[in-house]
Amino acid sequence: MSSAFTRLRVRLALALGAAKARLIRQPARPTAPFAELVRIESDPAYRALFYAELDAALHDRLATRTAVVEEIEVAAERLKALIRHGDHGRAA
């Protein structure tokens, strides 16, 4: 009987998980064009969360750009070194 109860609990958990996933995937209800802006301006807690997420996204973007620039600079230096030394066999 214990194993039947366990199977039932597992099935119930899977069904609830699937229902939750289905709800999350549904598109949000259409809202007024400036509803998000109104909420940001009128709700201090939501405004703080919005600005924190925006700040984090900007920091991530800057870090990514910085890393790409560094990779490009390293590649450029390697290419310059190859050109200066005339070792074209290593470039291939």
Side-chain angles (χ1 to χ4, degrees):
M1 180 152 177
S2 170
S3 63
F5 182 68
T6 302
R7 283 193 303 262
L8 179 62
R9 286 179 47 203
V10 169
R11 287 180 183 170
L12 181 59
L14 290 172
L16 287 173
K20 182 179 176 183
R22 216 172 305 127
L23 287 173
I24 290 172
R25 280 190 227 120
Q26 289 180 351
R29 290 180 284 137
T31 58
F34 296 105
E36 183 78 7
L37 181 58
V38 169
R39 185 170 180 199
I40 290 168
E41 291 177 347
S42 63
D43 184 351
Y46 188 75
R47 181 183 320 124
L49 177 64
F50 175 81
Y51 283 139
E53 290 176 351
L54 179 62
D55 194 40
L58 290 172
H59 283 289
D60 288 347
R61 185 176 180 181
L62 178 62
T64 300
R65 286 184 174 191
T66 302
V68 168
V69 167
E70 288 173 0
E71 289 177 18
I72 291 170
E73 288 174 347
V74 168
E77 288 302 318
R78 289 177 60 199
L79 183 59
K80 286 178 190 176
L82 287 173
I83 291 170
R84 272 189 236 126
H85 294 97
D87 191 4
H88 301 293
R90 278 187 14 192

